[in-house]
């Protein structure tokens, strides 16, 4: 009798082991689902060339605070950027160096309502190389230079230079200073050689490299170039007028809701009170209404 009981117990133990081996205690780890990757959102920011350095800093800090958002900077003269937008280039944010270009987009209904705001002011400067023996002491006698680097009239710095020259009596007064050609500027300054440039960065490079004796650019563009550039004169607002930089969100039919929201968030990021210290570091005036 005892043998039968032991045999029954042994058979039960063998049955348990057999069931375990058939899958109840598999040593292989269960498959787990990997979290889905977050899709990247791109924001196309068209910014005036004079904003390049400050925008690169904002780009890095915003992307760090907003993983998954890619800020794509397109820097050029405001006039060139305006043309690109008008011709259909996808743009979410436009940061212009003058009101004129933004006015044109707003008139065309391409600015998102309520997003336009004035951000910073800038100042026109006359520059030369540090060891230059130029006779130029400021904009008033810039015609004394052997050669001048000057942006064309479609570029805001070129327009403001012409506007200041009219104010100083160097150029004939016209309704729109931007329409004065480089050849006309040269002629009215006594025939001085002028190298026309497409944006402020190119003006600065022409002077740094020594291709031109003097040039007109923005104060903000000289930051970080102090070893290669000497400021001859910082032209006052009473001569140039305010050099206001507006920013706005631009209607982009190709942008989805996430991209549009990221564009709005980026504008808030670069226009809040904390952003002022960054602009000031790069030579911009943040006392703007």
């Amino acid at each position: 009798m005892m043998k039968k009981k032991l045999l029954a117990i042994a058979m039960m133990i063998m049955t348990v082991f057999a069931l375990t081996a058939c899958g109840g205690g598999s040593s292989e780890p269960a498959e787990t689902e990997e979290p889905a990757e977050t899709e990247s959102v791109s924001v196309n920011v068209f910014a005036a060339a004079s904003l390049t350095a400050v925008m690169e800093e904002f780009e890095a800090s915003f992307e760090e605070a907003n993983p998954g958002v890619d800020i794509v900077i397109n820097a050029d003269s405001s006039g060139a950027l305006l043309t690109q937008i008008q011709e259909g280039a996808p743009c979410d944010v436009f940061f212009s160096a003058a009101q004129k270009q933004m006015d044109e987009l707003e008139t065309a209904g391409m600015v998102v309502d309520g997003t336009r705001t004035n951000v910073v002011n800038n100042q026109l400067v006359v520059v030369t190389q540090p060891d230059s023996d130029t006779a130029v002491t400021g904009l008033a006698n810039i015609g004394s230079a052997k050669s001048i680097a000057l942006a064309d009239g479609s570029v805001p710095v070129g327009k403001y230079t012409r506007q200041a020259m009219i104010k100083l009596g160097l150029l004939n007064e016209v309704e729109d200073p931007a329409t004065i050609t480089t050849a006309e500027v040269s002629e009215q300054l006594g025939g001085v050689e002028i190298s026309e440039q497409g944006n402020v960065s190119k003006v600065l490079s022409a002077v740094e490299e020594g291709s031109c004796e003097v040039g007109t650019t923005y104060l903000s563009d000289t930051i970080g170039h102090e070893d290669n550039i000497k400021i001859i004169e910082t032209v006052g607002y009473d001569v140039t007028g305010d050099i206001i930089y507006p920013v706005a969100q631009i209607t982009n039919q190709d942008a989805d809701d996430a991209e549009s929201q990221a564009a709005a968030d980026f504008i808030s990021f670069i226009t809040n009170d904390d952003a002022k210290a960054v602009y000031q570091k790069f030579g911009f005036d943040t006392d703007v209404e």
Side-chain angles (χ1 to χ4, degrees), residues 95 99 102 114-120 244-248 267 271:
F95 203 162
Q99 302 282 15
M102 192 68 77
T115 64
R116 178 175 178 172
T117 184
N118 293 332
V119 187
V120 292
I244 301 294
Y245 285 52
V247 69
I267 290 177
T271 57

Side-chain angles (χ1 to χ4, degrees), residues 36-258:
E37 293 184 5
T38 304
E39 290 187 9
S40 177
V41 174
S42 293
V43 178
N44 297 308
V45 179
F46 285 34
S50 52
L51 289 162
T52 301
V54 70
M55 293 308 292
E56 287 175 351
E57 181 154 330
F58 281 135
E59 174 188 6
S61 54
F62 185 82
E63 288 179 348
E64 183 179 0
N66 298 270
V69 178
D70 181 23
I71 301 298
V72 182
I73 306 293
N74 176 21
D76 206 333
S77 76
S78 299
L81 296 174
L82 170 65
T83 300
Q84 291 172 31
I85 295 169
Q86 291 172 326
E87 292 179 349
C91 172
D92 300 297
V93 176
F94 181 39
F95 203 162
S96 175
Q99 302 282 15
K100 178 183 177 182
Q101 289 77 17
M102 192 68 77
D103 289 344
E104 287 193 37
L105 291 180
E106 194 160 37
T107 300
M110 300 178 73
V111 171
V112 177
D113 290 343
T115 64
R116 178 175 178 172
T117 184
N118 293 332
V119 187
V120 292
N121 208 339
N122 212 342
Q123 282 190 281
L124 185 74
V125 293
V126 182
V127 296
T128 190
Q129 290 188 315
D131 58 354
S132 172
D133 60 355
T134 181
V136 176
T137 57
L139 193 61
N141 70 336
I142 197 169
S144 302
K146 299 180 182 69
S147 59
I148 302 172
L150 177 68
D152 69 74
S154 70
V155 181
V157 72
K159 176 198 169 185
Y160 288 118
T161 299
R162 288 161 171 78
Q163 189 167 296
M165 287 179 173
I166 291 172
K167 182 79 172 180
L168 294 171
L170 301 176
L171 298 180
N172 298 329
E173 190 166 352
V174 294
E175 185 176 345
D176 182 3
T179 62
I180 303 174
T181 67
T182 300
E184 289 171 335
V185 174
S186 174
E187 181 183 355
Q188 293 180 48
L189 290 180
V192 61
E193 178 187 333
I194 297 181
S195 174
E196 183 176 280
Q197 304 296 328
N199 59 49
V200 287
S201 300
K202 292 178 179 178
V203 170
L204 194 69
S205 294
V207 178
E208 280 186 307
E209 295 165 359
S211 342
C212 294
E213 184 179 319
V214 300
T216 60
T217 185
Y218 291 131
L219 177 62
S220 61
D221 283 270
T222 66
I223 304 300
H225 296 264
E226 292 83 359
D227 291 341
N228 304 317
I229 288 293
K230 177 175 69 176
I231 296 175
I232 300 172
E233 179 191 21
T234 300
V235 185
Y237 293 133
D238 59 325
V239 179
T240 61
D242 285 331
I243 302 176
I244 301 294
Y245 285 52
V247 69
Q249 187 171 353
I250 303 303
T251 302
N252 182 359
Q253 302 296 341
D254 296 328
D256 58 25
D257 290 343

